[in-house]
Amino acid sequence: MVEEQLLNYLKEKTKGKLLMSPEQLAEEIGIPTKQQSKLRKEGRFPIPFKNIGRLVYYSIYDVANFLLNGETTPSEEVQEVAPVSTATKPKVRKSTSSPVQDLSHIFMIRAFAQSLEDRATTMLQLSDSLKKYANSYELKDRFEQKFSSKGSQSTNDGKI
């Protein structure tokens, strides 16, 4: 369910496309495009990427998989949709001893912050409504006291 919602969100962000540009990915995970490029060149970027011509793209399935699970295995779904040209040279990746960094916490923190912001906004609206209610209730009491006391005085004056 969450994966489907995340995929729909990513499709919406990419205007229905199944590939994301580094700029779009930067908006989602908070890693600038230059840093992405540096990590890709070092073979340390945790999300698989596709070179199409001189441009770099990320599968939304790989991005979702990474954000949800921290896994970095490339998905097979995008290869059918956007096949990479067979004339490209195979990439030689340097083996690094450092583990792949899990960045899924960034997505979770953003979602948590958005949830807190929404709740705070709701609480402020509720507070404003309660203040308005209290003010109107106070005005009603004052009105009733003012006019009920005048009405009882006039009836007493007429009897005396």
Side-chain angles (χ1 to χ4, degrees):
M1 179 79 176
V2 174
E3 183 177 356
E4 186 178 316
Q5 289 175 338
L6 180 57
L7 283 172
N8 288 336
Y9 169 76
L10 292 174
K11 282 180 187 176
E12 183 180 311
K13 290 295 266 187
T14 59
K15 298 177 182 163
K17 297 180 182 173
L18 300 178
L19 297 174
M20 295 182 84
S21 68
E23 292 80 13
Q24 291 169 326
L25 184 65
E27 290 177 16
E28 297 306 315
I29 65 172
I31 298 177
T33 56
K34 287 187 179 186
Q35 184 69 22
Q36 291 177 33
S37 176
K38 181 181 175 187
L39 291 171
R40 280 194 312 269
K41 288 176 185 172
E42 294 173 357
R44 295 182 12 203
F45 197 69
I47 302 172
F49 60 94
K50 309 276 189 257
N51 285 327
I52 300 177
R54 61 180 185 89
L55 302 175
V56 174
Y57 290 100
Y58 302 95
S59 161
I60 62 170
Y61 297 102
D62 291 336
V63 173
N65 192 28
F66 173 75
L67 291 173
L68 291 173
N69 307 320
E71 296 177 7
T72 60
T73 55
S75 67
E76 298 298 319
E77 297 178 49
V78 171
Q79 291 179 357
E80 298 170 9
V81 177
V84 178
S85 171
T86 56
T88 59
K89 297 179 186 177
K91 274 251 187 212
V92 177
R93 292 193 177 202
K94 298 176 186 176
S95 62
T96 58
S97 60
S98 64
V100 175
Q101 185 180 7
D102 180 8
L103 301 174
S104 61
H105 63 281
I106 293 171
F107 182 81
M108 295 300 176
I109 289 173
R110 280 188 176 179
F112 178 69
Q114 182 64 44
S115 172
L116 286 178
E117 186 178 346
D118 292 344
R119 288 181 183 184
T121 302
T122 303
M123 294 298 286
L124 287 172
Q125 290 171 347
L126 178 61
S127 172
D128 289 342
S129 296
L130 288 173
K131 285 177 186 175
K132 288 177 184 176
Y133 176 78
N135 288 340
S136 66
Y137 192 76
E138 195 175 285
L139 287 173
K140 178 184 170 246
D141 284 346
R142 285 185 200 162
F143 179 81
E144 287 177 355
Q145 286 175 356
K146 186 175 183 180
F147 288 105
S148 66
S149 64
K150 285 184 179 180
S152 61
Q153 285 178 359
S154 64
T155 56
N156 288 340
D157 290 340
K159 291 182 183 179
I160 296 179

